[in-house]
Amino acid sequence: MSGLAKSVQEWTEGRIDFEGQAFVELISRVVLIGSAIVAFIVGFVMQSLAVTFVIFGGTTAVLALVVLPPWPMFNAHPVEWLPKVETKEKGK
């Protein structure tokens, strides 16, 4: 495999560990709930449904930029797999 193809594969593979997944889920949940509440209040005060959707949509887009790429902080505790064990197959 060429160097460029290998680097593209490593970047798009998205390796994050289990603790990173839990952290992404927590960030997503807090930000989405918080932005929904803020967007609703601001939209209600301004009497504009468009403002509500712009605030919530903008926050969702920024959140996607933060949590979708496999940042190194999401792979701080990589899983240590056991080494491969060779087994002897019986002759038939």
Side-chain angles (χ1 to χ4, degrees), residues 41-75:
I41 292 171
V42 172
F44 184 77
V45 169
M46 296 182 70
Q47 292 293 302
S48 174
L49 194 58
V51 170
T52 302
F53 285 122
V54 166
I55 291 172
F56 188 72
T59 306
T60 303
V62 170
L63 179 66
L65 292 174
V66 171
V67 300
L68 288 182
W71 300 108
M73 66 182 176
F74 299 141
N75 198 17

Side-chain angles (χ1 to χ4, degrees), residues 71-82:
W71 300 108
M73 66 182 176
F74 299 141
N75 198 17
H77 309 288
V79 177
E80 300 276 340
W81 298 104
L82 294 175

Side-chain angles (χ1 to χ4, degrees), residues 19-36:
E19 290 184 35
Q21 289 176 0
F23 185 53
V24 165
E25 184 180 355
L26 176 67
I27 291 171
S28 299
R29 185 176 298 141
V30 169
V31 170
L32 287 175
I33 291 172
S35 68

